[in-house]
Amino acid sequence: MNDRIAQALTRLFDRHRIVFWYDAGWELRADFDALELAGIEKLELANNEFGIKHKILREHRTQKFLLYQEGPKPGNLENWLLDVQLAQGVFRTDQVGLWLAELELGIEAVSGCKKSLK
């Protein structure tokens, strides 16, 4: 799985400077810790969103970041980084998310398919 994760993330970083990774199942911590991508700084979201926001938007404006959080994605009202997340990318580790990354499609492709099937 680690190779597939690295490949999918590499493709996402071709299009985005900042990528969010929410580990909703609390099962991919070891993959995050072992992951090494050249030129990408890994940061963990752990009640430090304000400091991270300052770092990624003010201090290091050209650096690429992978932002990891154990647990589900916070609701919009509780998400201090929602504006950044909406402007950048979210990495999904479920099977559909990995397939979309391999095809270089975003989640909006699935939304469009669902609408056209109705």
Side-chain angles (χ1 to χ4, degrees):
M1 174 86 116
N2 205 0
D3 287 340
R4 290 181 68 194
I5 288 173
Q7 291 172 354
L9 282 169
T10 299
R11 281 193 278 286
L12 274 172
F13 278 111
D14 287 343
R15 296 189 319 261
H16 302 286
R17 183 176 77 85
I18 301 165
V19 174
F20 290 79
W21 178 357
Y22 296 102
D23 186 2
W26 304 73
E27 57 196 12
L28 298 171
R29 164 58 94 172
D31 290 313
F32 172 74
D33 289 339
L35 187 67
E36 292 189 27
L37 297 171
I40 313 275
E41 183 175 343
K42 300 185 314 183
L43 298 173
E44 183 174 357
L45 299 173
N47 204 24
N48 56 352
E49 289 84 352
F50 183 76
I52 285 180
K53 191 170 195 173
H54 186 268
K55 180 175 185 166
I56 65 177
L57 297 180
R58 297 287 182 201
E59 294 176 4
H60 303 284
R61 295 180 181 179
T62 59
Q63 172 69 41
K64 292 185 177 189
F65 292 96
L66 175 60
L67 306 179
Y68 173 85
Q69 179 175 325
E70 279 188 315
K73 182 171 73 167
N76 290 349
L77 293 177
E78 295 82 33
N79 190 347
W80 287 75
L81 296 169
L82 181 62
D83 57 333
V84 179
Q85 179 183 309
L86 292 173
Q88 297 294 319
V90 176
F91 175 59
R92 295 180 44 200
T93 54
D94 61 341
Q95 189 59 52
V96 172
L98 291 173
W99 286 336
L100 289 172
E102 285 178 17
L103 296 171
E104 298 184 18
L105 298 172
I107 192 65
E108 59 277 355
V110 174
S111 300
C113 290
K114 286 181 183 176
K115 288 178 186 173
S116 65
L117 293 174
K118 290 183 179 182

